[in-house]
Amino acid sequence: MIPVYINSAACISVQDTLNENFFQNLKPENSTQVLKAIEPVYKEFIPPAMIRRMSKTVKMSSVASQYALKEAGIENPDAIIVGTGMGCSQDSEKFLKNVIDNNEEFLTPTFFIQSTHNTVAGQIALGLQCHAYNFTYVNTSSSLEFSFLDAKLQINDGEAENVLVGSTDEQTNRTMELYRLNKTIKKEENLPLDYINSTTEGVIWGEGASFFVLGKDKTENSYAQLKDIQISSRLDLDETQQFIEDFLTKNNLTKNDIDAVILGFSGDAKSDAYYTKAMDSFESSALLYYKHLSGEFNTASGFSTFMACHILKNQEIPDVMRINDLEKEEIKTILLYNHLGGSDHSLVLLEKV
């Protein structure tokens, strides 16, 4: 297997992550049920006539992908792979509302055409006039990880040299209402939220888009080497440590070789038990968390991957992410562990270049 490098990273999130100084200005969010992404001025990147027809997730992804390609110095990638949990849900809702309002008659196809999950990857390809491999993964919280896995295989099989990989999810009013009703989103009375020691169910919901360029060659801008990915759709709580241990053994590592572990604590007491269980395995690692900065959503792991890339490159951990006070002289390896509501568990191993 040839090495695969992350040569650029761009993110639009609840934090001002397009700003060069975002690392010093991270602000935790623990008292709002739903967090909105900080969006750029789209007309600086997208023609105004096109902006009107684009949903929020397409606009965020278009800009984030432009940032990622520019940083990597790539005009046209050899493949475009996007992971998303909810896809273009704004247009999906508009289409369904039209169905109801018009009694299923005389429907315009526009919202339906734009509501499909692969709209994002398709729009990016159209903008770039890129006719290469174009694929979308819809696997809830492991959508980005499946996209990374595909990109890694494309590079290892000699099918591609540079791959644009992204993750994106947006919010819609109706879906947020339903999430409040089924207790996915935390009740007002349970806020502000202590992410690490929560005793109540539900999460604070976020949104965002993260894009990366993966390449077979290391460059001056390279952030990390993408060593390996492991995904499991179901996992019993008592299997957590073995799941991690087997993954590390496969990569000829022990838990003592991991300098930092980024865990997806969301504030949902029941499903966060997996992260608490995982923490017990890493007594000599810096323990970090991130969803108090991004909110929980299907592809929140894109934000954690983006942060891990900057931690490896800057050799600095933001204090706001720390669970413990353990300091490392050098951060060589970072393990990312994520799931959504106790399902679709993923491990991603990144190494300093």
Side-chain angles (χ1 to χ4, degrees):
M1 297 275 274
I2 62 171
V4 174
Y5 299 97
I6 299 177
N7 291 332
S8 72
C11 180
I12 293 174
S13 68
V14 171
Q15 305 294 324
D16 191 9
T17 34
L18 287 182
N19 190 318
E20 287 185 8
N21 300 319
F22 81 92
F23 217 60
Q24 287 75 41
N25 300 312
L26 294 167
K27 295 174 184 174
E29 301 281 357
N30 64 356
S31 55
T32 308
Q33 287 178 302
V34 176
L35 304 173
K36 299 287 185 186
I38 297 173
E39 298 178 82
V41 181
Y42 290 121
K43 65 184 179 183
E44 293 178 5
F45 304 92
I46 308 166
M50 292 179 67
I51 293 173
R52 290 196 301 273
R53 295 195 299 271
M54 288 180 167
S55 67
K56 187 175 184 178
T57 195
V58 175
K59 289 187 287 189
M60 290 193 298
S61 301
S62 180
V63 173
S65 64
Q66 286 181 46
Y67 267 88
L69 288 168
K70 185 178 179 182
E71 186 183 14
I74 303 292
E75 286 188 16
N76 232 325
D78 301 314
I80 297 171
I81 306 173
V82 175
T84 179
M86 300 293 286
C88 299
S89 46
Q90 285 183 1
D91 283 324
S92 299
E93 281 195 9
K94 287 174 185 175
F95 174 70
L96 292 170
K97 188 174 186 303
N98 273 355
V99 171
I100 296 165
D101 292 347
N102 295 301
N103 295 314
E104 303 180 25
E105 296 178 334
F106 315 119
L107 299 171
T108 55
T110 311
F111 292 134
F112 175 72
I113 293 166
Q114 294 177 340
S115 69
T116 58
H117 287 70
N118 58 1
T119 301
V120 175
Q123 288 281 5
I124 292 169
L126 283 169
L128 295 170
Q129 291 295 294
C130 176
H131 303 283
Y133 178 86
N134 191 291
F135 211 85
T136 299
Y137 284 90
V138 186
N139 297 83
T140 61
S141 63
S142 52
S143 300
L144 174 64
E145 288 75 11
F146 273 106
S147 302
F148 275 147
L149 198 55
D150 189 355
K152 207 168 185 293
L153 290 168
Q154 292 284 328
I155 292 169
N156 276 298
D157 290 345
E159 298 287 334
E161 291 189 6
N162 294 287
V163 182
L164 177 66
V165 180
S167 63
T168 182
D169 275 297
E170 66 186 5
Q171 297 165 356
T172 55
N173 293 334
R174 182 60 180 149
T175 303
M176 294 305 102
E177 286 173 16
L178 294 171
Y179 279 0
R180 285 184 174 95
L181 286 172
N182 74 0
K183 299 177 183 176
T184 296
I185 289 176
K186 202 168 281 289
K187 292 178 180 177
E188 283 275 12
E189 58 260 35
N190 294 328
L191 299 176
L193 169 62
D194 180 350
Y195 280 80
I196 305 298
N197 304 303
S198 174
T199 56
T200 56
E201 62 182 334
V203 302
I204 289 175
W205 202 259
E207 61 181 354
S210 303
F211 276 76
F212 311 88
V213 171
L214 269 56
K216 71 165 193 163
D217 297 319
K218 184 167 68 169
T219 70
E220 289 181 5
N221 293 326
S222 292
Y223 285 87
Q225 183 182 341
L226 179 61
K227 290 289 286 183
D228 201 7
I229 300 145
Q230 185 79 31
I231 300 160
S232 176
S233 60
R234 291 284 181 272
L235 202 66
D236 290 334
L237 186 58
D238 56 8
E239 294 173 333
T240 310
Q241 290 176 330
Q242 194 62 49
F243 174 58
I244 295 169
E245 202 170 298
D246 290 346
F247 176 69
L248 295 177
T249 302
K250 179 185 160 192
N251 286 282
N252 301 313
L253 296 169
T254 69
K255 57 190 178 184
N256 295 326
D257 295 318
I258 304 299
D259 296 308
V261 183
I262 302 183
L263 301 160
F265 277 100
S266 66
D268 178 58
K270 186 178 178 182
S271 62
D272 278 353
Y274 285 96
Y275 300 124
T276 306
K277 198 85 170 172
M279 280 201 306
D280 296 339
S281 299
F282 295 99
E283 295 172 3
S284 58
S285 305
L287 299 173
L288 316 176
Y289 70 125
Y290 66 94
K291 284 176 183 169
H292 60 310
L293 303 172
S294 68
E296 173 70 288
F297 56 102
N298 284 270
T299 50
S301 60
F303 182 85
S304 69
T305 307
F306 175 76
M307 293 304 300
C309 285
H310 280 275
I311 289 169
L312 283 170
K313 195 169 192 176
N314 300 340
Q315 288 294 295
E316 177 190 352
I317 297 173
D319 289 337
V320 72
M321 291 181 70
R322 291 182 181 275
I323 296 174
N324 62 4
D325 297 325
L326 201 142
E327 291 286 350
K328 288 281 182 177
E329 284 184 22
E330 185 180 13
I331 305 161
K332 292 180 182 176
T333 54
I334 297 182
L335 179 69
L336 287 76
Y337 175 32
N338 186 56
H339 62 72
L340 180 64
S343 299
D344 297 289
H345 301 255
S346 65
L347 296 170
V348 176
L349 182 64
L350 300 180
E351 195 172 87
K352 182 189 172 193
V353 292

